[in-house]
Amino acid sequence: MSTWNYVVTAHKPTSVSHSCVGHFTGPHQLNLIVAKCTRIEIHLLTPQGLQPMLDVPIYGRIATIELFRPINEAQDFLFIATERYKFCVLQWDAEKSELLTRSMGDVSDRIGRPTDNGQIGIVDPDCRIIGLHLYDGLFKVIPFDNKGQLKEAFNIRLEELQVLDIKFLYGCIRPTIVVLYQDNKDARHVKTYEVALKDKDFVEGPWSQNNLDNGAGLLIPVPNPLGGVIIIGEETIVYCNANSTFRAIPIKQSIIRAYGRVDPDGSRYLLGDNTGTMHLLVLTQERERVTGLKIEHLGETSVASSISYLDNGVVYVGSRFGDSQLVKLNLQPDVTGSFVEVLERYVNLGPIVDFCVVDLDRQGQGQVVTCSGAFKDGSIRVVRNGIGINEQASVELQGIKGLWSLKSSFNDPYDMYLVVSFISETRFLAMNMEDELEETEIEGFDAQIQTLFCQNAINDLLIQVTANSVRLVSCTSRELVDQWNAPEGFSVNVASANASQVLLATGGGHLVYLEIRDAKLVEVKHAQLEHEISCVDLNPVGENPQYSSLAAIGLWTDISVSIYSLPDLELIRKESLGGEIVPRSVLLCTLEGVSYLLCALGDGHLFSFLLNASTGELTDRKKVSLGTQPISLRTFSSKGTTHVFASSDRPTVIYSSNKKLLYSNVNLKEVNHMCPFNTAAFPDSLAIAKEGELSIGNIDDIQKLHIRTIPLNEQARRICHQEQSRTLAFCSFKYNHDSMEQSEAHFIRLLDHQTFEFLSTHPLDQYECGCSMISCSFSDDNNFYYCVGTAYVLPEENEPTKGRILVFAVEDGRLQLIVEKETKGAVYSLNAFNGKLLAAINQKIQLYKWMTRDDGSHELQSECGHHGHILALYTQTRGDFIVVGDLMKSISLLAYKHEESAIEELARDYNANWMTAVEMIDDDVYIGAENSYNLFTVRKNSDAATDEERGRLEVVGEYHLGEFVNRFRHGSLVMRLPDSEMGQIPTVIFGTINGVIGIIASLPHDHYVFLEKLQATLVKFIKGVGSLSHEQWRSFHNDKKTSEARNFLDGDLIESFLDLNRGKMEEVAKIMAVPVEELSKRVEELTRLH
Amino acid sequence: ACPEPSRSISAPPNVTARMGSREISREFSGIQVPRRDRQFIYSRFKPCRVCRDESSLLTCMTFIQDASRLAAGNHTGELRIFDSNTAGLIETQSCHQHLVTTLESTSSGGNELILSSSLNEVKLWDSFSVSTGPLHTFEDCKAARFNHAGTLFAAISTDANRRAVLLYDVQTHNVDMQLPDNSSLSGSGRSYVHPIIHFSPSDDMLLWNGVLWDRRSPDPIHQFDQFTDYCGGGFHPAGNEVILNSEVWDLRKFKLLRSVPSLDQTVIKFNGRGDVIYAILRRNLEDVTSSINTRRVRHPLFPAFRTIDAVTYSDIATVQIDRGVLDLATEPNDSLLGVVAMDNPDEMFSSARLFEVGRKRPTDDDSDPEDGGDTEDE
């Protein structure tokens, strides 16, 4: 049974909650620090833009981050507080380029009601105290001593129980806070308090201001000399201070949640509202007194959650609801009247409200199609593991044996010719004036024979290697300039060349080394090796890009790879590969400044070695499996970076990230040969030889997950795929900001599943919104339908009393409403169930039969139902079993009884879990996510002795994920190789508010036990940032209880084993009593789950 | 004049809209979401089972064993254990000479204990082996309450010479501490309803009869001003406030924060999360017949219980059950609610009624009329 689960992140959180600017990594370095829920990113501002410096996980959900400058320090420290009441102060260690923990601690109280409005953490501008508002009615103070060290925290009783914001005021003799709160009658006021450190109490502050805008929600403290505070409301912005200055300005109704200070003196601020509009707020002043407020409309950005003004009009806009952006504020408006120019976008999948797993390319590899973003930033995103090749042209060609591109001259930036080799001929293609490929001739080349290698060489020459000869041809005249002939009785088997060198092997282990000198081929060296040579390479990895001092050679018989020095062909190093499979392709390459020797075998395995480019030493041998067929390796470059393409039955791009080799699938079935083909018409393209076809395509950005965005300008809520009609359908809605009455318009929309072109739209009624959607067929009807569950959400009702189930057929690319059935409430969930339709409607589970009337029309007829929930929000089915996730009452298990035509409850989990998603891992184990960011599994107890025990779902696993899960789906993001052990492991994908896509893999027990030990070992080697505890972070935690994580493993921690240095890896392996290679291999296999 | 609260910032009143907004951000809908959710859930109580005791009058109840059982006391001094899922009577154990006035249960360190009080004695039981008799009997005391940790209980001495609150250790059964009652105000007027002992959420303070003690000292810390009386109320689980009858006091500054008329004349219990108050009309626990005196029967809360938002102190609902309520019991998972109510005041029968929290009554449950095979799980 699958109660042993491995949880790992496939796509990290991208939703930005906080950002701040300061001098963190050095007194003269300006940094942007971005918080993405459970991660911190540190960037350096350079003239070229933002340069990432560090991206680290935090063992907690970040509640607040703040940069501050302690007394006597030359640079800033970073204060982080997590939602589970831990805090730490971090400092940059410039020598090691890592974070140093200055202090950390726990600020939880045993008694106290956590604030409903989120936690507040602030640092006094004069660095005397840190203030925290974590529980209603309490203000926690962490004082600094005069050396800048934190002292013991204490609580001060705060009378205001419904606090909206608290900030420290500038320039006060004693630390002074301003509190924005709501009273018992829901009116909002601000009040100030001085913190009396000796008495550990508040002293009534210098001023207060009553009866503010009822939408007041944000305070901006203004630095000296102006001082005071700006209060941001929904319809007014107010400035007030201790001298009873009161200035107000009306604004168009909006919700402003993000601000960024432009000037250090606090006279200008950027404000971002919920419609994505950026405003500039100016405090007009006279002799250091505020005389008025001015607000200017700047333009549109993503809906901002944080705004950080960097420098020179460049601003970082962090967003929870759309892509974060780097924008430039121009002095002059553009044609649309906007002062905002977007310089860069940072992809954000959050919030992932729903998703479906589809195999659009029919490759046996799932892709996730999400409903991402909110408000105007809503979008559909197609997330695919691996790298996409977008085919631009293709031609049918059988029997291709090799592919090379050639330039028309050595210094030409673009390729001109494509050399296509066949078993007994070679054909030459060239780009013509119409940017089409047409056949041409290169007179000096031999076209009547298979080509083994082609290359542009120095002196504007072209090299062709065939079985008989090496030919040098002039680029300009295309005529033969020089020729080297294979010795009588020998033919060239394998060859490689670069701009000035040729290395070839003839039968009998003969190795011949040629150099191009003064447009002549000169045989420099000859050697005979003990075995036949299977592959050679002399791609330059040293200083000189035109000359290599190393050659790599693979041998038959003893199955080895060797490094030889050039020009003297001395053996430097030989690595025996073991096994019986011959190396078929070797490659010397440099990725991210690190040199490697790659060696691919005939069975799809690949060895990688770190190569010392000057000595030829090989270290850090690793072996991975890429496919099952022989691999051929070739470098290519995309956007100025070099990568390696491995052609095989599972074509793979090998690239380097953080100086680590990563392997990414390519969305092609089988590739025999590949060469870069960078032409003016097809820049950065590749020529690819597949079975019977030659195609030209360009390659996506090189990253592990590829994300395609279909912007909607409205918010998508539910999505599903219908293979039969080749469509995707989704429910979405648009806010109408223009009318006085805020309103929403809801739609069902249809997309082509390949082109993502909009095909059809079905608008819903006024107040009607789409709540659920599936594609299914029914008993005795082979057609597939989209079924949509809706609710009429009337603002005056506390719960819908009416909804509909709409059944659509796709006909000629249009949504045709076939059946409509009214329900007595919101249809929160739909499932195809025994050829019928199962709906969760408010409190009830209802089963409908699909009936065909005499006239051929259809209807949904209710068959039976089951009450027993507060709100039945999520349902999943398997056979006759139904699992229900309730608003508050955890998970329950129902069963459909065919004979009685009834649905009965079999068991439930009696804990009070507020569910956000459920899924059935298998027949007996179900997984749930709840709103305190935990995952848990429950098991059906069908073998228990008593009815009472059988009626209880046993909680078998608990884990704090730290993410709000909106959806689970069975499936996988990666190609599942049927022969590998990993291919057999069932996986569930989940999507979260912060844009995380995660994988839950159900492991065999022995595997789990081994990894559990590895996790326990790694905790000792990998310390959490700020010394936060991993064990505490992953412990199940809600307002009722905290208990140790069980039957779940943290894959993110386990896979970070691969980031350890060799020494640490060996220490871990020693504790695990497993050879380090084997341990690496086992962990690498895990990384292939996502 | 105050401007009207704006709609865009407040949480949507419709639960389906809230379910939609929480999918994009928990924080987005502001501070009113939990309030609206409480209002939604704690205005709905579906009667699900009735544990009947035909022969006698049940007076009080408490949930035990993860709410899979309930223990009820009756006016002849018996303790009865019922199955919460079937309402079946599991066992009956004679317990006190006189009526059972209160029942309490606690679990700590793997043990589950029941505390039963009568007019002048208190008994401690192991909830898994009630049939083997009490673990211990404590004479000359009454109205016992466990502390939150379940390590000790407090009872009121019935010894006329020794007016005090006694603290007993649950393990040793010894008196740990005595808090002498020196108040002159106690028993003022013709008050027939006795104040209840309350422990603070952290168990370091104790409140009885308007007097606040620190557990470490027999001298009171504070005597609250008497606005109405010292009955009902209790410590707020959030730790900031004390409720005395209808008045809410600041626990640290002893300042009167507000008056909540809905709490007047009630005894209260908090739900498991501590954010909802259940209030019933209080009564003289030592005399069941007095609970049906005409003045009391006329009170609107006599046949009902009330839920109040424990954060805002606004009323959520008054749930009519059409019978005189004697006691009310909550359980930690907020799934079930138990109410002891008189079936027929003339014949003095009562039963323990179980309600499912958050579910609508079937009478107002709007099923499709065509639902033939509707299964009500009752």
Side-chain angles (χ1 to χ4, degrees), chain A residues 159 234 718 799 844 865 915, chain B residues 6 8 22 44 255 371:
Chain A
E159 274 181 40
E234 274 189 303
R718 299 290 178 267
E799 177 175 38
K844 189 178 173 190
M915 304 308 293
Chain B
S6 127
S8 58
R22 76 169 190 176
R44 299 167 166 218
K255 193 174 123 185
D371 293 356

Side-chain angles (χ1 to χ4, degrees), chain A residues 389 400 402-405 418 632-637 643-647 668 671-677 685-690 694 699:
Chain A
I389 305 250
I400 298 173
L403 266 185
W404 295 269
S405 54
L418 199 55
S632 104
L633 300 166
R634 197 73 78 86
T635 58
F636 69 100
S637 114
H643 312 289
V644 176
F645 194 101
S647 305
L668 295 174
V671 173
N672 297 328
H673 302 280
M674 185 294 303
C675 76
F677 191 53
S685 294
L686 306 178
I688 287 159
K690 295 184 273 191
L694 172 68
I699 192 154

Side-chain angles (χ1 to χ4, degrees), chain B residues 156-225:
Chain B
I156 299 159
S157 161
T158 55
D159 183 341
N161 304 322
R162 175 171 94 151
R163 293 203 319 173
V165 174
L166 306 172
L167 292 180
Y168 288 92
D169 187 300
V170 164
Q171 292 295 320
T172 64
H173 309 151
N174 294 330
V175 176
D176 220 30
M177 191 166 188
Q178 288 193 33
L179 305 172
D181 172 23
N182 301 321
S183 65
S184 53
L185 289 160
S186 69
S188 66
R190 325 189 322 285
S191 169
Y192 53 84
V193 178
H194 298 287
I196 306 166
I197 304 167
H198 302 284
F199 282 94
S200 70
S202 54
D203 288 333
D204 51 9
M205 281 188 282
L206 195 138
L207 175 74
W208 181 65
N209 202 18
V211 181
L212 189 69
W213 280 279
D214 190 301
R215 269 269 293 111
R216 292 160 296 192
S217 153
D219 300 318
I221 313 172
H222 184 71
Q223 162 90 51
F224 284 95
D225 292 337

Side-chain angles (χ1 to χ4, degrees), chain A residues 911-974:
Chain A
N911 292 301
N913 288 318
W914 294 61
M915 304 308 293
T916 69
V918 296
E919 184 55 274
M920 302 171 89
I921 290 183
D922 59 22
D923 284 342
D924 299 311
V925 180
Y926 321 124
I927 187 161
E930 53 86 270
N931 76 348
S932 298
Y933 317 111
N934 299 296
L935 295 179
F936 64 97
T937 45
V938 293
R939 183 168 56 197
K940 186 166 85 181
N941 244 337
S942 36
D943 304 330
T946 66
D947 280 347
E948 195 177 322
E949 284 171 57
R950 277 193 293 275
R952 275 177 194 261
L953 292 173
E954 183 194 356
V955 180
V956 287
E958 291 178 307
Y959 182 73
H960 189 73
L961 180 68
E963 285 283 334
F964 190 105
V965 176
N966 274 323
R967 186 68 73 199
F968 291 112
R969 300 265 185 221
H970 283 282
S972 166
L973 265 172
V974 291

Side-chain angles (χ1 to χ4, degrees), chain B residues 1 16 144-145 344:
Chain B
T16 305
R145 296 285 302 268
N344 184 342

